[in-house]
Amino acid sequence: KIPLPRNINKAYFTLTPDDAVIDLEMNLYKSTYPQKTISDDVILAKFYSNRGMEYAAEGEYDKAFLYLRKALQENDQQSAIWNNFASLYRRKELFHETEIIYLQGLKLNPDDLTIMNNLSGVYHKMGNKKQALIYNNLAKHYRQANPYYQYLLAHSAYDSGDYKEALVYVKRAIEREKKEPRFYQLTANIYEKLGELKAGEAMNKKYQALLTREH
């Protein structure tokens, strides 16, 4: 979200009175979603972390290390940056160091699903099948509790033409998050495909009602 000079063409932005919101997926942005201002050190840390991963992808590991270290120097409280830092050591097959770094990230954010998955993979590489299974099961548990993951499964089943399975997943999504319009929109489409028109109409009304609240 950035302040806009008065002479800029404002037609290309989603606006508050004097600001513009810029997002990589602007079509998914909604002003009603929880939002907060982040500090300059957090912004810099994210920048250096992303730049470091670009160098890592190019095989320039020394530069990647320096940028990721700089990210942690700016702000060391973001689990995503520790995850990126660990991935650099994992690329060099320094699995003991990788484990320590992942655990630090998970200490900061015990709900970080990406770290759980990655840590399970590292333990598998290290031959520690017990720990690999623990973190794999933990990741599964968190995925099942995530309504947007259930929505993703529902959408996948819907696209494959398995509408009954899609309905099971989208109902789980709604149980976990009752205020997401997309869940009801998909449910309405599923009921239409199943020929349950009244149920589909009811879901569509809920979808429209939530859209009206957002605006």
Side-chain angles (χ1 to χ4, degrees), residues 95-115:
F95 297 126
H96 178 66
E97 291 83 354
T98 303
E99 174 196 11
I100 293 171
I101 298 170
Y102 276 142
L103 288 173
Q104 174 61 25
L106 208 55
K107 181 180 178 181
L108 291 170
N109 181 10
D111 297 338
D112 194 314
L113 181 60
T114 303
I115 290 183

Side-chain angles (χ1 to χ4, degrees), residues 107-214:
K107 181 180 178 181
L108 291 170
N109 181 10
D111 297 338
D112 194 314
L113 181 60
T114 303
I115 290 183
M116 293 178 206
N117 275 318
N118 291 341
L119 192 52
S120 176
V122 167
Y123 281 128
H124 182 75
K125 288 281 188 180
M126 296 170 72
N128 190 337
K129 294 182 179 179
K130 181 179 178 181
Q131 287 296 96
L133 183 61
I134 287 172
Y135 282 97
N136 183 56
N137 288 338
L138 191 60
K140 285 181 180 179
H141 170 75
Y142 274 84
R143 275 197 298 268
Q144 293 304 320
N146 186 329
Y148 292 92
Y149 179 71
Q150 297 299 320
Y151 172 73
L152 182 65
L153 293 177
H155 227 304
S156 178
Y158 179 85
D159 291 340
S160 299
D162 194 340
Y163 305 121
K164 290 184 178 179
E165 184 178 13
L167 187 60
V168 171
Y169 288 128
V170 79
K171 282 183 175 180
R172 289 178 187 170
I174 292 173
E175 285 174 4
R176 292 159 173 77
E177 174 52 70
K178 294 179 171 58
K179 296 181 180 180
E180 173 54 68
R182 287 177 291 173
F183 296 173
Y184 295 95
Q185 182 184 37
L186 178 59
T187 308
N189 292 340
I190 292 169
Y191 277 128
E192 183 179 340
K193 291 292 186 180
L194 291 172
E196 299 182 34
L197 301 184
K198 287 186 177 180
E201 184 178 345
M203 284 294 155
N204 192 50
K205 285 180 179 178
K206 290 183 179 181
Y207 166 64
Q208 295 296 336
L210 285 170
L211 282 185
T212 302
R213 287 182 194 174
E214 288 185 355

Side-chain angles (χ1 to χ4, degrees), residues 27-142:
N27 61 311
L28 298 180
Y29 172 80
K30 291 182 175 61
S31 61
T32 54
Y33 287 167
Q35 299 174 80
K36 63 180 180 180
T37 301
I38 59 176
S39 60
D40 288 348
D41 64 305
V42 171
I43 294 170
L44 284 170
K46 290 180 182 295
F47 168 76
Y48 287 124
S49 179
N50 289 340
R51 196 75 182 96
M53 294 310 293
E54 288 177 3
Y55 279 123
E58 295 166 1
E60 297 191 48
Y61 298 127
D62 290 344
K63 288 183 178 179
F65 173 84
L66 292 174
Y67 272 88
L68 287 163
R69 185 179 67 177
K70 179 64 174 173
L72 291 172
Q73 288 171 341
E74 290 291 340
N75 185 286
D76 62 0
Q77 298 301 302
Q78 301 176 66
S79 63
I81 296 178
W82 287 98
N83 178 64
N84 286 348
F85 200 46
S87 73
L88 182 63
Y89 281 81
R90 185 175 181 176
R91 289 169 187 259
K92 302 294 289 184
E93 298 188 352
L94 299 169
F95 297 126
H96 178 66
E97 291 83 354
T98 303
E99 174 196 11
I100 293 171
I101 298 170
Y102 276 142
L103 288 173
Q104 174 61 25
L106 208 55
K107 181 180 178 181
L108 291 170
N109 181 10
D111 297 338
D112 194 314
L113 181 60
T114 303
I115 290 183
M116 293 178 206
N117 275 318
N118 291 341
L119 192 52
S120 176
V122 167
Y123 281 128
H124 182 75
K125 288 281 188 180
M126 296 170 72
N128 190 337
K129 294 182 179 179
K130 181 179 178 181
Q131 287 296 96
L133 183 61
I134 287 172
Y135 282 97
N136 183 56
N137 288 338
L138 191 60
K140 285 181 180 179
H141 170 75
Y142 274 84

